[in-house]
Amino acid sequence: AWEAIKDQPILPYGSGAYAIVMWEKANEQQTRELYGMFVPNEYVDRTFRQENILVYVNDDGEQIAQRINSDKAHNYILDIWMSYGLFATIALVAFLVILIVRLVTANTAFTWSVLAAGVVYGFFSMAWFPAVATDPLAFALIGVGWGAAERARNGVPDDAAALIVETRDSLPRNASRAERRRHLRQRR
């Protein structure tokens, strides 16, 4: 991925282009190494590629096709950079920096927990790629962390449910929404 980025650092190759670009940028030795990742080593010399399928002939003379399922770089940042370009990568990194600052400045046990989980996912994503199984959880965690940081910034206690019950008990049932908000602000 890095070789492709060096050749085209600003413009993206497009989503899923890694599978094509990795073969285009590979020299002869790298191509043999890639073949060795997908076919038995003894057949590497008898292997050729047709798009995303490797074909080799085994000792019995049979032609065997092996599909290549490598469509992403095994590094989240490099994959985003290669697929979506430099500006999308800068936007992602800026968003993550802003999120980290918000989580740290909120300084609650929950936001520190979200930050710790994010650090673990960050290390995971530097050696793996975006996945359907993990990304929705990671982005849900980001949303929950952002919400918790906003609550802390606005002085909303973690036990907001108790505050709502207390407010309902101390205001008449027919109180307007504005009166309820005013009452909440005064309680903080």
Side-chain angles (χ1 to χ4, degrees):
W2 184 243
E3 294 299 318
I5 290 169
K6 287 192 312 190
D7 289 347
Q8 192 172 313
I10 296 173
L11 296 176
Y13 283 91
S15 182
Y18 180 77
I20 298 165
V21 175
M22 78 173 182
W23 293 105
E24 290 176 355
K25 301 296 178 185
N27 61 32
E28 189 175 329
Q29 178 187 347
Q30 291 168 331
T31 300
R32 291 178 57 78
E33 289 173 7
L34 286 168
Y35 285 173
M37 291 170 58
F38 299 102
V39 301
N41 286 332
E42 60 268 20
Y43 303 127
V44 167
D45 292 331
R46 299 182 244 171
T47 302
F48 63 94
R49 181 178 63 88
Q50 291 179 324
E51 296 187 24
N52 69 335
I53 297 175
L54 295 180
V55 180
Y56 64 94
V57 179
N58 68 11
D59 293 334
D60 298 330
E62 288 180 84
Q63 219 179 39
I64 308 224
Q66 172 69 43
R67 184 184 160 104
I68 305 166
N69 292 325
S70 185
D71 64 339
K72 301 212 179 281
H74 283 246
N75 181 301
Y76 200 94
I77 298 295
L78 291 181
D79 190 67
I80 296 294
W81 193 347
M82 189 176 146
S83 297
Y84 305 109
L86 178 63
F87 299 115
T89 306
I90 290 170
L92 174 66
V93 170
F95 171 74
L96 293 174
V97 168
I98 291 167
L99 176 66
I100 290 167
V101 168
R102 282 185 179 252
L103 291 174
V104 169
T105 56
N107 198 25
T108 68
F110 187 77
T111 58
W112 281 105
S113 300
V114 170
L115 185 61
V119 167
V120 169
Y121 184 75
F123 280 113
F124 168 78
S125 68
M126 290 301 110
W128 202 242
F129 49 83
V132 174
T134 56
D135 276 2
L137 294 174
F139 287 107
L141 188 63
I142 286 171
V144 169
W146 188 280
E150 284 300 304
R151 284 175 36 160
R153 280 184 62 199
N154 294 324
V156 177
D158 284 339
D159 196 6
L163 182 62
I164 291 168
V165 169
E166 181 182 324
T167 302
R168 284 186 184 152
D169 292 342
S170 59
L171 281 174
R173 276 185 171 259
N174 60 353
S176 71
R177 181 179 264 175
E179 289 173 320
R180 290 183 186 282
R181 275 196 219 127
R182 200 172 319 114
H183 186 72
L184 276 172
R185 279 192 222 116
Q186 290 170 355
R187 301 290 253 166
R188 290 184 200 161

